[in-house]
Amino acid sequence: MPGSLLDRMSHTNAPAAWVGRLQLWLRDWGIRLGLLKTPPPSPPPGAPYPDYVPCPHCGEPEVEVWCYEKTVRCHNCGKTFEHAVPPDCLGGDQSSQK
């Protein structure tokens, strides 16, 4: 059959292509029937996220801070310290987060 789907695919890649298409079809079928959950949407680039930094005063390994916060207060010792705002956190401007 000239012009069929199998002719248009490379013959060395045909089994892999069919397996990939079958996997996509099965995943979509499972989502439509409610057997599989859709993956959660990824946050938009620059959205605020929690960051975990060590306390330089008491050594607490995980002090939670939002990425846009410039100062951190340790929940263990209560002391504050500086936090460098990552560049992927909308430049550290909390007002632009809203």
Side-chain angles (χ1 to χ4, degrees), residues 5-56:
L5 182 61
L6 193 55
D7 289 337
R8 286 180 275 174
M9 295 178 2
S10 70
H11 293 289
T12 59
N13 216 0
W18 283 107
V19 169
R21 286 191 179 113
L22 179 62
Q23 288 174 340
L24 288 174
W25 182 82
L26 288 172
R27 183 183 57 85
D28 290 343
W29 182 73
I31 290 170
R32 287 181 186 159
L33 289 178
L35 301 172
L36 298 174
K37 293 183 180 178
T38 58
S42 60
Y49 57 87
D51 197 8
Y52 299 94
V53 295
C55 177

Side-chain angles (χ1 to χ4, degrees), residues 27-93:
R27 183 183 57 85
D28 290 343
W29 182 73
I31 290 170
R32 287 181 186 159
L33 289 178
L35 301 172
L36 298 174
K37 293 183 180 178
T38 58
S42 60
Y49 57 87
D51 197 8
Y52 299 94
V53 295
C55 177
H57 302 289
C58 68
E60 176 67 28
E62 287 189 347
V63 179
E64 184 178 33
V65 59
W66 284 99
C67 67
Y68 55 80
E69 294 179 323
K70 295 180 181 176
T71 58
V72 183
R73 183 180 176 105
C74 178
H75 62 272
N76 190 33
C77 67
K79 295 183 180 179
T80 58
F81 57 94
E82 296 294 317
H83 173 253
V85 177
D88 63 344
C89 189
L90 289 181
D93 185 15

